[in-house]
Amino acid sequence: MAYDIRIPDSVLDAAARLSLKDLLDSPAFQSFLVSAIGNGLQNSHKFADVTDERDEFLMFRLDQIFKSIPYDTRRACFDEVARMYRERREEREQRN
């Protein structure tokens, strides 16, 4: 898989002032974040050609956090994200 996405250092510096806790504690972001973490972990093997030890350790730590979220909560987050995407798609189709 070709992978050449570069996030500017200025964005990474600004992101350093946020924490995973901040995002998980925010109702506006928690469902999307839990879904993104789960999807990222499930598909991380597709990036084997670009991962290094630091990435593997990050995935390990995220996996521990993800699995410590109760299954019902994870499921609710995935369901909520799916509902929002479905509604957005339906709204877009109605406009066209």
Side-chain angles (χ1 to χ4, degrees):
M1 165 187 286
Y3 190 84
D4 193 24
I5 296 174
R6 303 276 191 252
I7 305 296
D9 286 339
S10 60
V11 174
L12 295 174
D13 290 343
R17 294 187 290 273
L18 292 174
S19 72
L20 184 58
K21 180 185 183 298
D22 293 332
L23 295 170
L24 286 171
D25 199 33
S26 169
F29 291 98
Q30 62 191 189
S31 290
F32 287 103
L33 190 61
V34 169
S35 178
I37 291 171
N39 287 324
L41 290 168
Q42 189 173 27
N43 292 288
S44 61
H45 66 280
K46 295 179 181 180
F47 296 94
D49 57 332
V50 294
T51 58
D52 58 19
E53 286 182 13
R54 192 181 71 192
D55 291 321
E56 289 177 12
F57 186 61
L58 176 63
M59 287 185 275
F60 170 76
R61 291 172 50 208
L62 280 172
D63 188 56
Q64 288 182 313
I65 291 168
F66 184 74
K67 287 179 179 173
S68 69
I69 299 170
Y71 175 79
D72 291 345
T73 302
R74 286 184 275 152
R75 183 78 258 149
C77 289
F78 278 97
D79 291 346
E80 182 63 12
V81 169
R83 182 192 65 77
M84 286 188 272
Y85 282 149
R86 199 170 39 254
E87 285 180 2
R88 188 174 355 164
R89 184 180 64 245
E90 290 169 0
E91 290 169 1
R92 194 172 48 244
E93 288 172 357
Q94 288 176 358
R95 284 193 302 262
N96 293 333

